């Protein structure tokens, strides 16, 4: 796969990265052996960066990664996790928890250092704490060598500018905002580039919205959004293409997005995505699908505290 530089970090990531949220049974019950094989399949196919969080499975994802990576040379892959979110409504971005969280993640995964550490879903808290307490504590950990690069992740676009206007970051991770349906992350790219920050994109399927699969019960898409997304999927099917294929291809096409993080506890899904990434995108079909999705282009929902969200979110 194509390798791309991540901001000023010196890291090179494949255009597809492995997201390990599924290993924590975030979306369905998983088969343990399949889950472990999905990690090795991803590495074998060139997905050299693995993204996880203690929130995924409440530690389960990190523990399973520790098993899957046990005999893999540490210098053959890049590893990132997060801190601050530990359950649905459990957030702790205190300096004390920063230290504890890094050490616990290292222990769970059986490694001596992390390539990337992100503050997870900061839109759920008073973001002044991230500026005044969390990031300063994380920089001390970076100086100790336990973490190489630091950043933030979350859903609203507002959070990235809020933090970067006040603090430098190595990397940011955005999800659901560079897809067939929503390209708000692309609009933010000039600003992010001016801050010399590495950009990672995640969730090209927008939590199954851009697939043939039924949406999870917690999905926030409105009836209008669901109906129009189904029209797009039906159109792709009529042309003999799975809309999920087009979604993956679109989300890796912009080289300014260093990588697109996508994950599954099913190794066959991982193989399929890598195969799709190698195929040329059908520009005619892409234009047709974008036209169908135009009425819901850049629709987004509210996540976390309302004051931390983008104007128009949820409308």
């Amino acid at each position: 796969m194509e390798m791309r530089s991540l901001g000023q970090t010196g890291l090179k990531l494949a255009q597809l990265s492995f997201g390990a949220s599924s290993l924590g049974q975030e979306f369905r019950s998983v088969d343990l052996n399949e889950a472990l094989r999905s990690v090795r399949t991803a590495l074998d196919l060139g997905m050299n960066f693995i993204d996880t969080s203690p929130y995924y499975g409440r530690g389960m994802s990190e523990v399973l990664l520790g098993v899957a990576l046990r005999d893999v040379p540490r210098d053959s892959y890049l590893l990132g996790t997060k801190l601050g979110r530990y359950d649905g409504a459990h957030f702790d971005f205190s300096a004390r928890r920063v230290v504890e969280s890094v050490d616990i993640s290292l222990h769970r995964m059986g490694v001596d250092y992390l390539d990337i550490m992100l503050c997870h879903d900061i839109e759920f808290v008073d973001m002044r704490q991230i500026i005044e307490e969390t990031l300063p504590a994380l920089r001390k950990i970076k100086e100790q060598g336990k973490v190489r690069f630091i950043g933030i992740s979350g859903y609203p676009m507002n959070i990235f500018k809020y933090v970067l206007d006040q603090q430098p970051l190595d990397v940011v991770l955005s999800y659901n905002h560079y897809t067939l349906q929503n390209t708000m992350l692309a609009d933010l790219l000039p600003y992010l580039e001016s801050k010399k920050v590495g950009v990672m994109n995640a969730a090209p399927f927008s939590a199954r919205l851009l697939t043939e699969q039924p949406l999870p019960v917690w999905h926030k898409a409105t009836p209008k959004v669901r109906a129009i997304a189904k029209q797009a999927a039906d159109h792709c099917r009529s042309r003999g293409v799975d809309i999920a294929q087009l979604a993956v291809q679109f989300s890796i096409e912009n080289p300014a997005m260093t990588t697109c993080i996508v994950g599954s506890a099913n190794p066959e899904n991982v193989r399929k995505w890598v195969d799709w990434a190698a195929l040329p995108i059908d520009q005619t079909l892409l234009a047709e699908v974008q036209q169908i999705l135009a009425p819901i282009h850049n629709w987004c929902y509210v996540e976390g505290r309302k004051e931390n969200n983008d104007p128009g979110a949820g409308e």
Side-chain angles (χ1 to χ4, degrees), residues 132-144:
E132 298 168 3
E133 183 176 2
T134 314
L135 287 172
L138 196 47
R139 286 195 179 88
K140 292 180 181 178
I141 300 293
K142 181 178 177 180
E143 291 170 1
Q144 296 169 10

Side-chain angles (χ1 to χ4, degrees), residues 62-243:
E62 289 186 333
V63 171
L64 288 183
L65 280 175
V67 175
L69 298 170
R70 190 174 292 156
D71 59 348
V72 181
R74 181 64 182 88
D75 60 359
S76 68
Y77 63 90
L78 302 171
L79 183 61
T81 191
K82 307 178 184 76
L83 55 77
R85 185 172 197 178
Y86 303 101
D87 208 334
H90 178 197
F91 295 86
D92 188 346
F93 287 97
S94 66
R96 176 178 177 178
R97 191 58 188 267
V98 167
V99 175
E100 295 173 346
S101 193
V102 171
D103 286 343
I104 290 170
S105 291
L106 290 172
H107 176 75
R108 284 175 177 160
M109 293 186 283
V111 295
D112 296 324
Y113 68 93
L114 295 158
D115 296 288
I116 296 172
M117 176 60 83
L118 302 174
C119 303
H120 195 182
D121 290 345
I122 65 172
E123 67 268 26
F124 282 86
V125 300
D126 183 342
M127 293 195 296
R128 289 176 299 180
Q129 183 184 24
I130 306 300
I131 299 296
E132 298 168 3
E133 183 176 2
T134 314
L135 287 172
L138 196 47
R139 286 195 179 88
K140 292 180 181 178
I141 300 293
K142 181 178 177 180
E143 291 170 1
Q144 296 169 10
K146 293 180 181 181
V147 172
R148 297 176 67 192
F149 302 105
I150 64 175
I152 61 172
S153 71
Y155 181 73
M157 294 289 95
N158 273 352
I159 66 172
F160 302 115
K161 196 169 187 302
Y162 176 89
V163 173
L164 283 164
D165 278 349
Q166 302 176 73
Q167 293 271 6
L169 298 172
D170 299 312
V171 62
V172 297
L173 170 59
S174 172
Y175 69 95
N176 288 3
H177 277 98
Y178 192 69
T179 71
L180 291 171
Q181 178 268 323
N182 185 320
T183 57
M184 292 172 68
L185 181 57
D187 298 335
L188 194 64
L189 276 178
Y191 172 82
L192 295 174
E193 290 172 351
S194 74
K195 295 295 184 177
K196 303 186 187 313
V197 64
V199 181
M200 299 189 294
N201 174 40
F205 308 126
S206 194
R208 302 185 200 163
L209 183 69
L210 301 170
T211 72
E212 296 276 3
Q213 303 300 314
L215 295 186
V217 294
W218 42 261
H219 205 290
K220 295 183 178 181
T222 65
K224 177 183 177 180
V225 171
R226 292 167 186 250
I228 292 176
K230 185 179 185 303
Q231 290 175 24
D234 291 345
H235 180 72
C236 286
R237 192 186 321 111
S238 74
R239 297 281 300 276
V241 176
D242 187 335
I243 192 173

